[in-house]
Amino acid sequence: MKTPQPLAFETEIHEMETIVSKLEQVPAIGGNSEEIKRLRRELTGLIRKKYANLTPWETILVSRHPARPQMMDYVESIFDEFVELHGDRAFGDDQAIRCGFARFGSNKVLVVGHQKGHTLKERQACYYGCAHPEGYRKALGKMKLAAKFRVPIICLIDTPGAFPGIGAEERGQAQLIATSILEMFRLATPVICIVIGEGGSGGALGIGVGDKVSMLEHAYYSVISPEGCAGILWKTANEETKPKAAEALKLTSKYLRDFGVIDDVISEPLGGAHRDPREMANTLKNYLQRSLRELAVHSKEALLESRYQKFRRMGFTLEASTGMTSPAM
Amino acid sequence: MPCPKCKATLYRKDVQAKFNVCPECGHHMPLSARERVRQLLDEDSFEEWFTDIKPCDPLGFVDRIPYSKRLVDEQRKTGMNDAATVGKGFIRGRSVVLCITDFQFMAGSMGSVVGEKLTRAIEEATRLQLPLIIVSGSGGGARMQEGILSLMQMAKVSGAISRHDAAGCLYIAVLTHPTMGGVAASWALQGDITLAEPAAMIGFAGARTIWNTVRIELPEGFQTSEFLLEHGFVDRIVHRHDLRTELASLVDYCEKSQS
């Protein structure tokens, strides 16, 4: 299999992939000779080794890979049906957040997610996954509808951040995110949030309050982008400071699980979700099915209480009275 | 001292007597949490809560200096443990829970301590069925040095506010200069009533970020209290001198009915 658009750190992998695929096409050698099999094994080992030790900055690059599956790709591959619901009833229909009812197996759910777009045209229409206030208003409206009929909600998070622009500020970017975060604590139905790519700050959290919050292995979730962080701390975001910032922010799935911020790390196919979108979709589908089953047994009250307690525990403080560093509480 | 706005030469004492409002042009300068308590609450009525919660450095964050060192420096400079002061007091005889984020301490940014203190105070307000007032002043919003944990404080505090609201209690948000980023995108804009001091900068994205993204001139008065009032996100702009009276009056209007 050939890597789509290799990343900078994948040069070695890419070179070997090119050799293998060229050799495969030579009829005299054939696709199954011992030599090719050996090379394939070596290539797999190389990818495995590289991807087991990605630096935080490399993780960021993978999470932003242009061929990485996006929300609408998962909608296509996981669900049997998607009935899209448009519009925020106040201003417009933000293309950076898409919502709709979906079925898979015997489950019916509402899917809400950021869409970044694959083609240039699509990317421009949805501002590269950066939602405006109307996107959050739309999402909240549909989530309330789902909660009314106790339809579980699945939020697929993938945004560099909420859109920073004049119109967004005029129409209350901060207000709509604030409202959405608060109201999500009241949705009386199971809510599962998965960071599938980029978890960019408030723009991610705006649809990120749930009973389960998990991440794909090579996704990131951060209070600020490494570029933004580097710009503030080292005055400039360049090839040296961005990786430093990514490192300092501890924004990868492993760290977040250790901090108690996410429940699970969902493993990706060898070499990242973009190398095998179908396998990724299957893994995610199984995870969602399992989570829905787990959450279905709880009463509405128990669900809301544990959702509250989940976020209530987050953070680390030092209490003089106990002298302990512990998760808050 | 010169007024940062009109440049008039002022006596520090005169400025302090007016709670850091310029006597010449009315410019509102930052006010420390201690002074804010004195401005808003009846004399000696403040019972401060959770004073022994201190910050730590869960990420081991190092930029130009380590975060742990930065914290010690800030604590020495301000005499505070962290940016939030919370507790209970009286506004002209009305019992309220008051939370303040102090701009002096790391620009009033929100880390685990701010989130934890606010959450506990709000939970207390809910338990005691008291009105809640949060005075926000935060330049950067979430505190970068605590990474994702500071982002999660937005959710944590919001959860507590949703319960305070569900219990039928009043929350008045007071926005002061500046209230930006994650603080604006959470508790600062979740009030039943939103008040703002004049000419405070309030918004989600910083002006530089917006400029870098859209590359067009930002309109005059962009992201000020007046801008938010005009666009419908603030109930009233209140001069610092009138804030106490206004708060007392609003608390009366929203008193829980006994029936």
Side-chain angles (χ1 to χ4, degrees), chain A residues 58-78:
Chain A
E58 288 166 347
T59 304
I60 300 256
L61 296 177
V62 175
S63 77
R64 292 174 178 168
H65 195 289
R68 191 174 173 85
Q70 299 179 2
M71 178 248 181
M72 288 305 286
D73 300 318
Y74 290 119
V75 162
E76 186 83 10
S77 51
I78 292 179

Side-chain angles (χ1 to χ4, degrees), chain A residues 109-217:
Chain A
V109 295
L110 176 82
V111 185
V112 174
H114 299 101
Q115 175 70 7
K116 290 160 93 173
H118 287 296
T119 64
L120 181 65
K121 200 173 155 204
E122 206 192 343
R123 281 169 183 264
Q124 283 170 339
C126 54
Y127 294 92
Y128 296 79
C130 299
H132 279 71
E134 45 276 17
Y136 294 98
R137 193 186 290 110
K138 168 166 90 171
L140 182 59
K142 311 313 174 199
M143 290 195 285
K144 283 182 168 176
L145 164 68
K148 183 172 170 183
F149 300 101
R150 212 163 195 264
V151 173
I153 298 166
I154 294 169
C155 295
L156 301 178
I157 295 165
D158 190 13
T159 179
F163 191 77
I166 294 171
E169 295 290 324
E170 285 175 337
R171 301 196 293 276
Q173 188 70 285
Q175 179 71 69
L176 270 298
I177 293 175
T179 304
S180 187
I181 294 171
L182 185 141
E183 292 291 334
M184 285 187 85
F185 278 99
R186 299 180 168 164
L187 297 169
T189 191
V191 181
I192 302 168
C193 305
I194 314 278
V195 185
I196 57 170
E198 297 190 78
S201 196
L205 187 61
I207 56 167
V209 178
D211 305 298
K212 235 179 217 300
V213 179
S214 295
M215 284 169 79
L216 300 193
E217 188 181 351

Side-chain angles (χ1 to χ4, degrees), chain A residues 164 169-175 178 185-186 223 233 248 250 305 308 311-312 314-316 318-321 328, chain B residues 52 54 59 61 64 112 116 120 123 142 147 153 155-156 159-160 162-163 165 185 189-190 204-205 223 227 233:
Chain A
E169 295 290 324
E170 285 175 337
R171 301 196 293 276
Q173 188 70 285
Q175 179 71 69
F185 278 99
R186 299 180 168 164
V223 67
L233 293 181
K250 304 247 190 301
E305 174 64 21
Y308 180 75
F311 287 89
R312 179 72 188 79
M314 290 183 193
F316 290 86
L318 211 61
E319 287 235 36
S321 52
Chain B
D52 59 353
K54 290 180 179 169
L59 271 63
F61 196 96
R64 277 159 305 176
S112 298
E116 182 65 18
R120 288 197 201 180
E123 286 177 341
Q153 303 309 308
K156 176 160 135 180
S162 80
R163 291 188 157 198
D165 175 58
L189 289 170
Q190 291 167 342
F204 181 67
Q223 293 185 321
F227 176 89
F233 296 102

Side-chain angles (χ1 to χ4, degrees), chain B residues 28 64 167 184 200 220 233-234:
Chain B
H28 285 49
R64 277 159 305 176
E220 183 130 352
F233 296 102
V234 161

